[in-house]
């Protein structure tokens, strides 16, 4: 087993996903199979090889720190599931 | 005169010479959508009123003697993960079912500037996770060549709409083959540009180091014309390149004499015999036309799919964190706490989406990051190096686009690993960031299209288009249309 049920539950918590018991079972099996499959990468000799984060090797793409046009708040707030004044509104954080 | 199934050039000529009005062109395409989309279901949203209104305005401008853009009035469709201001953009997910973007993606701005007309937004696998469009939260799209088959994915709607004559051209996105594979399954031309050549601003991100937007068209010339409009640096995308592609229509000459074609042997290992045979015939044709065709090895090919299925879900899990129900999208309204609200987002994600988010989160989590994600990125370096080595010697690499032709709806849905296999020939390209095109080269014995993949070096779209143009002139697949409608 590459991955256990308990780990799947833990990952779901990290990913902020609610999974039903059936989904946890299904994903345990499916993820296990996928992880077994990708485990073949172990075979590849990669000592001293630099990881590729993105293919163009661009780094630190800056722009001038100058004020420019932006979308206004009202426009942005049109998509809010709930709002109050200029704020996005959400339920509060409870206990833990 | 039938106004659908025409090329960009033919339509713009008819319009400019006043033989048809833009309204007539748009009406013809809306009628075509009415006639066939019940069977094909390429569209999530049809922009009827908007399209007619724009056509009206453009015709009035023409009447006043104003000159219009070269592509004025050409009907197009955009994959529904590309933001269109004021037009619902759903990513074929319940999460964004009601989302109306307050801005246009850069590619949309550029096409709006060219005065094209948006017929609608097309169906995809939810958040672009998939290879068949069956993962759409709304409905699957059907292949116009045989409606019991998938159109491919994730840009299945975009490909089907073009193949069925519902639009002249469409935009798709490609992370592991999502433009090229549906183009192959639907018998049309699809190009994934060099990473960074086309702005990703306004494309709902799947894997930020792999995604590219590209055109789907019925012929190579239309592809070049579209690319001229789409490509170019964008200040809103910090991964966009400043390197210019130049006027790609200048690359369209039917001459491959002296061009060196490498054929990566590893890409043929699990390919269906009919597909392999058709590809070999085309390689023979290229030789007769004066190209030098040779076998080549890309030794790390077998690890590409594995590396991809670590990197892509990892980046996706990070990119989908923004769907936290705070600023847009679905919200679980019965939540009594913030955490419950966050977790409630699960209600709006389909099973493949959750699976990839889980896989991605796992491979990035503490204790596993080095073994999986970092390792995959190192393997990625080796895959990229394979291509660089090959392009030191060859002008293009040619392979089948997919191992098989379009498979039946329902065949691979239960088996994620089986579904992932159809990306075998396309995925290495995204890892290396090189451009690649798929073009139709024939039909199999069941009448399903077979696609050829032409891969070029970074920013060498011109070379790819030249080879494709040459083959197209011989094969003339643009004359063949599915029997739908």
């Amino acid at each position: 087993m590459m991955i256990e049920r308990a780990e799947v539950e833990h990952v779901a918590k990290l990913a902020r996903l609610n999974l039903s018991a059936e989904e946890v079972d299904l994903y345990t099996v499916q993820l296990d199979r996928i992880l077994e499959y990708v485990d073949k990468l172990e075979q590849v000799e990669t000592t001293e090889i630099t990881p590729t984060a993105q293919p163009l090797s661009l780094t630190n793409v800056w722009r001038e720190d100058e004020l420019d046009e932006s979308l206004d708040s009202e426009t942005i707030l049109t998509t809010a599931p709930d709002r109050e004044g200029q704020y996005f509104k959400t339920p509060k954080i409870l206990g833990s | 005169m039938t106004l659908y199934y025409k090329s960009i050039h033919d339509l713009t000529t008819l319009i400019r010479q006043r033989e048809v009005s833009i309204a007539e062109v748009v009406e013809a395409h809306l009628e075509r959508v009415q006639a066939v989309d019940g069977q094909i279901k390429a569209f999530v949203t049809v922009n009827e009123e908007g399209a007619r209104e724009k056509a009206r305005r453009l015709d009035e401008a023409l009447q006043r003697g104003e000159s219009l853009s070269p592509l004025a009035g050409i009907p197009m469709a955009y994959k529904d993960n590309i933001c269109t201001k004021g037009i619902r953009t759903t990513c074929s997910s319940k999460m964004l079912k009601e989302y109306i973007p307050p801005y246009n993606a850069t590619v949309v701005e550029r096409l709006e500037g060219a005065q094209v007309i948006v017929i609608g937004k097309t169906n995809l696998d939810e958040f672009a996770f998939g290879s068949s469009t069956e993962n759409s939260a709304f409905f699957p799209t059907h292949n116009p060549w045989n409606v019991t088959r998938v159109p491919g994915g994730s840009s299945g709607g975009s490909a089907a709409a073009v193949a069925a004559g519902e639009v002249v051209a469409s935009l798709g996105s490609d992370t592991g083959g999502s433009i090229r594979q549906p183009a192959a399954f639907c018998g049309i031309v699809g190009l994934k540009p060099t990473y960074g050549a086309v702005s990703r601003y306004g494309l709902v991100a799947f894997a930020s180091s792999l995604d590219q937007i590209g055109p789907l068209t019925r012929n190579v010339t239309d592809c070049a014309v579209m690319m001229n409009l789409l490509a170019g640096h964008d200040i809103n995308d910090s991964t966009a390149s400043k390197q210019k592609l130049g006027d790609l229509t200048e690359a369209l000459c039917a001459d491959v004499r002296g061009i060196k074609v490498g054929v990566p042997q590893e890409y043929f290992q699990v390919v269906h015999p009919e597909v392999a045979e058709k590809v070999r015939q085309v390689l023979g044709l290229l030789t007769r036309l004066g190209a030098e065709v040779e076998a080549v090895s890309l030794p790390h090919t077998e690890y590409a799919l594995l590396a991809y299925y670590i990197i892509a879900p990892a980046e996706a899990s990070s990119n989908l964190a923004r769907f936290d129900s705070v600023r847009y999208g679905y919200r679980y309204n019965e939540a009594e706490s913030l955490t419950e609200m966050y977790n409630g987002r699960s209600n709006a994600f389909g099973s493949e989406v959750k699976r990839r988010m889980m896989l991605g989160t796992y491979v990035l989590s503490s204790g596993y990051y080095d073994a999986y994600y970092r390792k995959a990125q190192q393997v990625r370096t080796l895959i990229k190096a394979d291509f660089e080595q090959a392009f030191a010697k060859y002008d293009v690499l040619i392979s089948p686009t997919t191992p098989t032709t379009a498979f039946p709806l329902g065949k691979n849905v239960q088996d994620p690993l089986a579904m992932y296999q159809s990306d075998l020939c396309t995925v290495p390209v995204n890892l290396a960031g090189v451009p690649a095109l798929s073009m139709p080269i024939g039909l199999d014995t069941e009448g399903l299209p077979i696609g050829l993949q032409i891969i070029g070096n970074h920013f060498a779209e011109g070379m790819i288009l030249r080879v494709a143009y040459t083959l197209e002139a011989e094969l003339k697949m643009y004359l063949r249309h599915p029997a739908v409608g």
Side-chain angles (χ1 to χ4, degrees), chain B residues 25-94:
Chain B
V25 171
V26 167
E27 223 37 63
H29 286 83
L30 287 173
E31 271 165 31
R32 181 68 179 164
V33 171
Q34 271 271 25
V36 303
D37 214 53
Q39 287 177 74
I40 294 176
K41 306 200 59 74
F43 285 91
V44 173
T45 302
V46 180
N47 179 38
E48 259 184 81
E49 269 324 297
R52 288 195 175 112
E53 170 58 37
K54 187 152 184 197
R56 224 178 347 252
R57 279 190 281 114
L58 289 172
D59 277 331
E60 282 164 12
L62 268 176
Q63 293 284 46
R64 291 194 296 269
E66 285 173 36
S67 73
L68 297 183
S69 296
L71 260 64
I74 302 298
M76 302 210 178
Y78 306 145
K79 187 175 182 181
D80 211 16
N81 60 353
I82 296 173
C83 285
T84 43
K85 182 172 172 178
I87 302 177
R88 205 166 65 123
T89 299
T90 68
C91 297
S92 289
S93 177
K94 288 193 222 154

Side-chain angles (χ1 to χ4, degrees), chain B residues 168-234:
Chain B
V168 175
S170 66
L171 292 184
S173 70
D174 190 313
T175 305
S178 289
I179 287 174
R180 293 162 285 151
Q181 186 251 39
F185 281 8
C186 289
I188 59 171
V189 176
L191 173 73
K192 183 206 81 76
T194 306
Y195 181 82
V198 174
S199 170
R200 293 184 302 108
Y201 181 73
L203 170 68
V204 177
F206 165 2
S208 308
S209 77
L210 300 167
D211 291 348
Q212 269 293 278
I213 294 174
L216 292 107
T217 60
R218 290 189 290 269
N219 64 73
V220 176
T221 303
D222 286 357
C223 178
V225 167
M226 291 291 286
M227 277 301 293
N228 278 355
L229 287 168
L230 297 171
H233 183 256
D234 179 22

Side-chain angles (χ1 to χ4, degrees), chain A residues 56, chain B residues 110 191-199 212-215 223-233 241-252 433-436 456-465:
Chain A
L56 290 186
Chain B
R110 290 183 180 173
L191 173 73
K192 183 206 81 76
T194 306
Y195 181 82
V198 174
S199 170
Q212 269 293 278
I213 294 174
C223 178
V225 167
M226 291 291 286
M227 277 301 293
N228 278 355
L229 287 168
L230 297 171
H233 183 256
S241 170
K242 294 209 162 110
Q243 190 159 344
K244 295 199 206 287
L245 287 178
D247 181 351
L248 290 171
T249 58
E250 286 175 6
L252 302 175
V434 290
N457 205 353
H458 293 108
F459 302 103
E461 277 83 338
M463 179 61 73
I464 293 176
L465 289 166

Side-chain angles (χ1 to χ4, degrees), chain A residues 57-96:
Chain A
S57 310
L58 285 175
T59 54
N60 297 342
V61 177
W62 305 115
R63 69 174 180 88
E64 288 307 310
D65 186 13
E66 282 160 7
L67 204 55
D68 201 350
E69 273 184 44
S70 183
L71 283 177
D72 62 287
S73 319
E74 271 316 302
T75 306
I76 301 281
L77 286 162
T78 56
T79 62
D82 195 6
R83 67 176 281 193
E84 191 172 288
Q86 295 293 81
Y87 295 90
F88 291 98
K89 195 164 164 192
T90 72
K92 60 187 168 190
I93 299 168
L94 284 185
S96 75

Side-chain angles (χ1 to χ4, degrees), chain B residues 20 174 246 293 301 313 392:
Chain B
V20 289
D174 190 313
V293 179
T301 301

Side-chain angles (χ1 to χ4, degrees), chain A:
Chain A
M1 286 291 282
M2 306 283 307
I3 188 169
E4 304 282 345
R5 208 175 185 284
E7 277 184 288
V8 172
E9 285 173 329
H10 174 64
V11 171
K13 199 159 159 229
L14 293 176
R16 294 282 183 241
L17 291 173
N18 274 341
L19 297 182
S20 66
E22 292 78 34
E23 280 175 314
V24 174
D25 287 335
L26 178 67
Y27 290 148
T28 305
V29 169
Q30 290 179 335
L31 289 179
D32 186 66
R33 239 186 258 137
I34 296 170
L35 289 169
E36 209 182 290
Y37 175 65
V38 301
D39 207 47
K40 261 180 68 179
L41 282 186
E42 277 284 299
Q43 298 167 10
V44 188
E45 175 54 54
T46 54
T47 355
E48 307 290 311
I49 303 288
T50 318
T52 295
Q54 62 106 292
L56 290 186
S57 310
L58 285 175
T59 54
N60 297 342
V61 177
W62 305 115
R63 69 174 180 88
E64 288 307 310
D65 186 13
E66 282 160 7
L67 204 55
D68 201 350
E69 273 184 44
S70 183
L71 283 177
D72 62 287
S73 319
E74 271 316 302
T75 306
I76 301 281
L77 286 162
T78 56
T79 62
D82 195 6
R83 67 176 281 193
E84 191 172 288
Q86 295 293 81
Y87 295 90
F88 291 98
K89 195 164 164 192
T90 72
K92 60 187 168 190
I93 299 168
L94 284 185
S96 75

